[in-house]
Amino acid sequence: MSLAAGIARRAGRRALSSVPALFGVIVFTFLLMRVLPGDPAVFFASGPNAGQAEIQMIREQMGLDKPIPQQLLLYLKDIATGNLGRSMNTGQPVVTDLINRLPASLELTFTALLFALSLALPLGILAALKPNSLIDHGVRFLCSLGVCVPTFVSGLLLIYAFYYILGIAPDPTGRLDVFAAQPPVVTGFILIDAALAGEWESWRAAASQLVLPAATMALFVLAPLARMTRAAMLAVMTSDFVRTGEALGLSRRRVVLVYALRNALLPVITIMGIVFSTMLGANVLVEKVFSWPGVASYALDALLTSDYAPVQGFVLLMAFIFVLVNLTIDVLYGLADPRVSIE
Amino acid sequence: MTAPLLTIDDLKVTFSTRNGLVEALKGVSLSLDAGETLGIVGESGSGKSVTAFSVMQLLDRAGRITNGRITFRGQDITRASRAMLQPLRGAAMSMIFQNPRAALNPIRTVGLQIADVLRAHEPLSAKEARARALKLLEAVLIRDPEERLDAYPHELSGGMCQRVMIAMAIACEPALLIADEPTTGLDVTTQKTVMDLLAEITARRGMAMILITHDLGLAAQYCQRVAVMEQGLVVEQAVPASLFGAPRHPYTKRLVAASPTRHSTVDSLVVDAGEPAQAAPRVSPRRPAEPLLSVSNLVKTFDNGFRGVDDVSFDLAPGESLGLVGESGSGKSTISRLVCRLVDHSAGTIGFDGEDIGKVTSRDFYRSRFRKDIQIVFQDHGDSLNPRFSAFDCIADPLKLLAGVQDGRELRRQVEDCARRVGLPAEFLDRFPHQLSGGQKARVGIARAIAAKPRLLVLDEPTAALDVSVQAVILHLLDRLRRETGLAYLFVSHDLNVVRMMCERTIVLQKGRIVEQGPSGALFTDPASDYARELIAAIPHFDPEAATARHREAATAG
């Protein structure tokens, strides 16, 4: 009861304190988009020989003729009313585009995080239990590999191996095989939607599409997770309470998993939040390589065509997600460590 | 004759360190009968903990048993495998540690931790284990045991945590309990209740106990036999009365002399106190009209509304030494920090030399002309020295900042002079803190504090982290410095014997308030308040004279 209240209070305070940061992000992206080279009005004019009048008209339509402060105010008002503008590329409201595409990115990122954790935790623990052993060096090698090979290279390598040579992976084109039936959209997460509709054929198709991009992402974030797990485990294994567990005859399993690991997970939780936010936004290359219809590739396309609104919408979305992830991490932390809810 | 419960025979342990192999135990032999209580005393590095950890097979990776045998109940456990040890640990022999809060898992309730131990050795359901854990908490006299079962270690006091630890250690009725400095860091009154509890439990359940401690008084009071260790060897072992009454080994003699008792004086602590301290006779503190420090109605309220210091007033004359004693949370350290102007007070005045220095905020006090007059010596000599400053830099810093010494040669001369006065050889000045021993770091800390020639020195538990023999030397040094320079001391300590020796007057604090004050001698022999009486009674002591008398009695009777 008091624990939940403590966590809620912390989360509330954290949410409040992130409001100025969010405002800063809004202003920053607004200004950034105004100083980037290229005039969208020219770009969106009907053709290279469009007249000055036509460009002027588009400009007025987009509000680009007004002074910058006024543009900012208009922008803030739009955000407050949930209007993020319209994408020039797709012709859709940005909000609709983001809502359509966000589940794809989230599904990919969650799966990748799951892959990464299920690999990083055991590896980190094994490495910590036998420091400087063969296993430790092996894990270190794998982590270095994951970090220094760019995701587009590892992604292409995986495609080459599993699709081109072995032929066990489906062609890397989007979330679902063109021949598989699209399940009715409920959450936007195809795996969940397919499971809800009981369409296991589609589920399997979607899952097999997901494996390679998720593995590519997971490989990239394996290093921070595994190394942090190792470091935290090493520190915890020499702590007094682990020694107590040993001295009182607890089984090795219990000492490692209940006494050491649960304590070692605390810093890993923090890293997990950072890793998640990074994957969601920064792994645009993975989305590109696998033609994944996610928000990051959407934002990149928009950026390349000087399409302001989607980029602003994307940055804003990322900022919101970052705040949300931090809140989640806070709550998780509060649950995992009874000490933090007491200030 | 029955075989002893535990025998250690010619045990040698080496640690591999960066500087090669270090032999921590050089052939230790000990034995312990069932139900017996053995004390192992010695200073840090003597190998007493290593001995205990060897028995429990808890040596860390770097340590290795190279020779000898450890036999427990006739079974050789010197190089026992994990499979062989696991049923023994916790069930037949268990251990409690120093720093009880760290020894408990911070994110698991104490009830579950006790249950973990029970279920590791007995086939119990979670519910049965919980019921047994409740009984154990009752056995270690924890109030509201039902509620405490679901408490986390950070919600309990240090003494409570140690009781929980004891409950865990005795959960499966082991035949041997090893207590490694179980009460170090606890208040004297808590120490007494915890030790009484341990003694009572071991006696009632017929458990043998090894008590490892640096406190001779504790060993004398609670052990049937005491072994003295020095540098990896047992140098002497005997019953406490003869050991402390008539020590034979020179090291034991030194240790016994260095341990403050109710009769010892600063001079009696050090067996061979190089220079005669009497050279400069103590200036009897005439009470001048004007006190150097005059604190009145001092209050410190913390952010959470807790009154750490509550309406405290006292005076300190120039050249006088005033002791502040009390348990943790009594506000003694807070007062020392308030007087040093490191922390801002909430109400009251701090008069120094007739001026209210409390008016200057702690943030600005470094600019005050009184900064140089009030200096502090901290408890943790390791942590209070900048690790990137050599001893020279540490001492030179206040000289440069407060005394304005800029000239390089003059600076060196003054630093060397300071070092000489605290007995720090000049060749140590270029060393960094990690290259100095505890006693040497203490000397640097004192030299730094006296460098700017202050008039008031605040000493916050200056010897709490030191071994008794080093403590004796440092106390001796502090006493000599005061006689030579006429410094006034505000001496904060939890060790009442130390305060009695060092201070002319003593203030006893409880919960931020003064409960008693007066001349040290009278206060310690005839305390007026119940609290002071309780504090003094809780000091574990071995009385060399009483011990000698008992020893003589035993000898004539035998």
Side-chain angles (χ1 to χ4, degrees):
Chain A
M1 167 216 77
S2 67
L3 182 72
I7 293 172
R9 212 173 23 243
R10 268 163 51 81
R13 202 164 17 193
R14 187 62 68 86
L16 270 183
S17 66
S18 53
V19 167
L22 278 179
F23 180 76
V25 168
I26 293 172
V27 173
F28 178 74
T29 51
F30 173 82
L31 292 177
L32 188 72
M33 293 313 294
R34 293 304 182 272
V35 298
L36 282 182
D39 185 346
V42 173
F43 192 85
F44 277 95
S46 52
N49 47 4
Q52 200 62 40
E54 194 186 344
I55 292 177
Q56 190 57 36
M57 205 181 73
I58 294 176
R59 202 168 269 159
E60 268 166 40
Q61 204 182 326
M62 296 171 73
L64 293 174
D65 56 335
K66 301 197 171 67
I68 295 268
Q70 200 180 340
Q71 286 186 38
L72 176 63
L73 281 180
L74 284 175
Y75 180 56
L76 286 176
K77 200 184 92 198
D78 284 347
I79 290 176
T81 54
N83 174 15
L84 294 180
R86 193 173 277 273
S87 164
M88 296 285 182
N89 290 341
T90 63
Q92 298 266 7
V94 171
V95 177
T96 318
D97 275 346
L98 287 178
I99 288 177
N100 284 336
R101 283 165 163 265
L102 184 61
S105 285
L106 283 179
E107 193 170 45
L108 177 60
T109 308
F110 272 124
T111 314
L113 189 66
L114 203 70
F115 279 9
L117 281 179
S118 56
L119 200 60
L121 288 183
L123 287 181
I125 295 169
L126 285 178
L129 290 183
K130 291 195 178 354
N132 298 322
S133 66
L134 212 59
I135 288 183
D136 190 16
H137 287 298
V139 172
R140 192 170 299 158
F141 176 73
L142 192 66
C143 288
S144 315
L145 208 66
V147 169
C148 55
V149 178
T151 43
F152 61 90
V153 174
S154 52
L156 287 176
L157 281 177
L158 286 178
I159 292 173
Y160 182 71
F162 291 97
Y163 170 64
Y164 183 71
I165 298 201
L166 297 175
I168 49 177
D171 50 345
T173 49
R175 304 174 73 188
L176 204 54
D177 195 350
V178 278
F179 301 113
Q182 176 85 30
V185 177
V186 183
T187 58
F189 292 81
I190 293 185
L191 288 183
I192 296 176
D193 288 349
L196 284 177
E199 293 175 19
W200 297 107
E201 203 57 42
S202 302
W203 193 90
R204 206 164 306 125
S208 60
Q209 291 281 1
L210 195 55
V211 169
L212 284 193
T216 310
M217 268 196 191
L219 205 61
F220 190 62
V221 297
L222 186 65
L225 291 172
R227 298 302 288 172
M228 183 48 92
T229 309
R230 176 184 183 271
M233 275 300 278
L234 270 183
V236 171
M237 285 303 284
T238 58
S239 68
D240 284 6
F241 55 87
V242 164
R243 188 184 59 188
T244 305
E246 295 272 357
L248 297 179
L250 303 192
S251 65
R252 182 76 178 161
R253 233 180 109 78
R254 205 161 183 79
V255 169
V256 171
L257 294 182
V258 178
Y259 279 63
L261 182 60
R262 279 199 204 162
N263 279 282
L265 277 183
L266 299 176
V268 177
I269 289 178
T270 313
I271 291 289
M272 215 169 73
I274 297 169
V275 160
F276 182 84
S277 317
T278 315
M279 281 202 289
L280 198 57
N283 268 333
V284 55
L285 291 171
V286 176
E287 293 191 356
K288 278 279 157 206
V289 167
F290 290 91
S291 321
W292 200 260
V295 282
S297 59
Y298 172 68
L300 183 68
D301 288 341
L303 188 69
L304 292 176
T305 54
S306 300
D307 193 358
Y308 288 167
V311 177
Q312 283 172 331
F314 169 76
V315 173
L316 215 55
L317 176 72
M318 283 301 128
F320 268 114
I321 287 180
F322 203 82
V323 169
L324 212 63
V325 166
N326 274 336
L327 282 181
T328 314
I329 295 296
D330 251 25
V331 172
L332 278 181
Y333 214 97
L335 288 175
D337 189 346
R339 286 166 297 182
V340 290
S341 43
I342 297 185
E343 301 285 309
Chain B
M1 188 193 138
T2 52
L5 179 71
L6 175 79
T7 42
I8 301 171
D9 190 26
D10 196 27
L11 185 68
K12 290 184 184 166
V13 172
T14 48
F15 281 84
S16 51
T17 68
R18 215 180 293 175
N19 305 322
L21 292 178
V22 174
E23 198 162 42
L25 296 186
K26 301 169 183 164
V28 168
S29 300
L30 285 169
S31 82
L32 183 71
D33 289 326
E36 193 190 10
T37 302
L38 169 72
I40 303 183
V41 297
E43 297 184 290
S44 46
S46 63
K48 51 192 196 304
S49 288
V50 175
T51 310
F53 285 127
S54 306
V55 172
M56 297 294 295
Q57 304 286 315
L58 287 174
L59 291 173
D60 64 41
R61 244 173 250 281
R64 215 162 56 79
I65 297 176
T66 51
N67 184 43
R69 252 165 78 91
I70 302 169
T71 323
F72 180 72
R73 283 180 173 163
Q75 195 178 7
D76 186 348
I77 55 165
T78 322
R79 284 173 190 82
S81 65
R82 200 186 162 86
M84 188 176 154
L85 279 170
Q86 201 173 305
L88 285 180
R89 286 178 181 165
M93 53 184 189
S94 55
M95 186 159 180
I96 59 178
F97 303 92
Q98 190 177 346
N99 194 357
R101 190 167 284 138
L104 296 174
N105 189 342
I107 60 171
R108 203 163 167 76
T109 62
V110 298
L112 281 178
Q113 293 190 52
I114 301 175
D116 280 342
V117 178
L118 286 165
R119 297 180 76 185
H121 300 287
E122 292 170 38
L124 294 174
S125 71
K127 212 168 156 198
E128 290 164 333
R130 193 180 157 88
R132 284 273 296 276
L134 182 65
K135 283 230 174 65
L136 282 162
L137 285 188
E138 281 164 10
V140 295
L141 308 177
I142 282 188
R143 253 171 288 143
D144 311 324
E146 195 96 38
E147 269 169 54
R148 296 284 178 261
L149 271 182
D150 297 316
Y152 290 96
H154 69 270
E155 296 166 334
L156 303 175
S157 68
M160 283 295 157
C161 283
Q162 193 59 290
R163 284 166 199 244
V164 171
M165 190 66 226
I166 293 173
M168 288 167 69
I170 63 166
C172 299
E173 308 262 334
L176 170 64
L177 179 66
I178 300 179
D180 184 9
E181 302 267 11
T183 56
T184 308
L186 301 181
D187 286 324
V188 269
T189 49
T190 318
Q191 162 167 296
K192 187 171 158 50
T193 51
V194 167
M195 281 313 299
D196 286 347
L197 177 71
L198 263 181
E200 200 252 347
I201 284 175
T202 49
R204 182 138 46 95
R205 307 188 180 206
M207 281 166 28
M209 177 161 76
I210 298 181
L211 174 67
I212 293 168
T213 178
H214 65 278
D215 187 334
L216 300 193
L218 213 58
Q221 231 169 16
Y222 293 98
C223 300
Q224 289 147 3
R225 202 150 51 85
V226 176
V228 181
M229 285 190 71
E230 186 202 12
Q231 292 176 4
L233 285 171
V234 175
V235 294
E236 188 170 354
Q237 62 175 306
V239 295
S242 64
L243 188 75
F244 299 127
R248 286 195 307 271
H249 193 274
Y251 177 73
T252 317
K253 280 182 193 160
R254 205 141 32 96
L255 208 57
V256 169
S259 299
T261 65
R262 58 178 78 174
H263 302 294
S264 48
T265 61
V266 176
D267 290 329
S268 77
L269 289 183
V270 190
V271 173
D272 40 6
E275 71 250 65
Q278 288 78 5
R282 181 173 294 189
V283 204
S284 67
R286 289 171 291 107
R287 279 273 177 145
E290 192 76 4
L292 181 68
L293 176 74
S294 171
V295 171
S296 61
N297 308 104
L298 192 64
V299 174
K300 170 71 188 175
T301 315
F302 289 102
D303 290 339
N304 55 9
F306 174 70
R307 281 188 106 132
V309 177
D310 194 359
D311 196 20
V312 166
S313 308
F314 61 86
D315 283 352
L316 178 61
E320 192 189 17
S321 175
L322 175 67
L324 291 181
V325 298
E327 307 197 290
S328 49
S330 63
K332 55 190 194 305
S333 279
T334 310
I335 292 177
S336 76
R337 281 173 168 65
L338 289 171
V339 168
C340 282
R341 306 299 302 119
L342 295 174
V343 178
D344 282 319
H345 57 304
S346 311
T349 55
I350 305 169
F352 187 83
D353 219 6
E355 220 172 291
D356 184 8
I357 57 168
K359 282 191 187 133
V360 188
T361 61
S362 58
R363 187 188 284 232
D364 291 325
F365 194 71
Y366 73 97
R367 277 187 298 220
S368 160
R369 67 194 165 95
F370 291 118
R371 173 73 286 170
K372 124 186 197 328
D373 289 326
I374 306 174
Q375 291 288 306
I376 185 166
V377 176
F378 294 99
Q379 171 174 6
D380 194 321
H381 302 289
D383 275 357
S384 61
L385 296 178
N386 185 336
R388 307 211 178 277
F389 270 23
S390 67
F392 180 88
D393 297 329
C394 286
I395 303 171
D397 212 33
L399 282 171
K400 282 190 273 191
L401 294 173
L402 296 174
V405 181
Q406 298 301 339
D407 176 53
R409 207 173 313 146
E410 174 63 15
L411 193 65
R412 178 151 279 278
R413 195 190 62 74
Q414 290 205 19
V415 169
E416 278 171 3
D417 183 50
C418 270
R420 191 171 50 251
R421 281 168 60 204
V422 299
L424 185 73
E427 61 262 31
F428 287 116
L429 281 175
D430 294 324
R431 293 203 185 171
F432 287 91
H434 69 270
Q435 296 166 316
L436 298 169
S437 72
Q440 286 157 354
K441 277 185 271 194
R443 287 176 201 266
V444 175
I446 294 169
R448 174 177 64 176
I450 62 166
K453 302 202 170 52
R455 284 187 285 165
L456 170 64
L457 199 57
V458 176
L459 299 135
D460 187 3
E461 304 262 14
T463 57
L466 302 175
D467 279 326
V468 277
S469 60
V470 184
Q471 162 173 293
V473 177
I474 296 295
L475 290 179
H476 199 256
L477 163 72
L478 286 172
D479 199 49
R480 179 171 57 80
L481 277 177
R482 189 161 74 92
R483 287 180 217 219
E484 285 172 4
T485 57
L487 262 167
Y489 281 177
L490 186 62
F491 199 103
V492 177
S493 179
H494 69 278
D495 191 328
L496 303 176
N497 278 322
V498 168
V499 170
R500 182 186 54 72
M501 286 185 289
M502 297 296 293
C503 306
E504 283 115 19
R505 268 191 318 130
T506 301
I507 290 176
V508 182
L509 290 157
Q510 184 187 24
K511 292 178 188 155
R513 287 176 161 275
I514 295 181
V515 289
E516 187 170 352
Q517 58 177 317
S520 302
L523 196 148
F524 282 89
T525 46
D526 186 21
S529 63
D530 290 341
Y531 180 66
R533 206 169 300 132
E534 196 186 320
L535 272 186
I536 291 164
I539 311 174
H541 54 82
F542 65 98
D543 228 319
E545 279 137 58
T548 322
R550 248 182 292 159
H551 175 61
R552 218 173 288 133
E553 263 168 48
T556 49

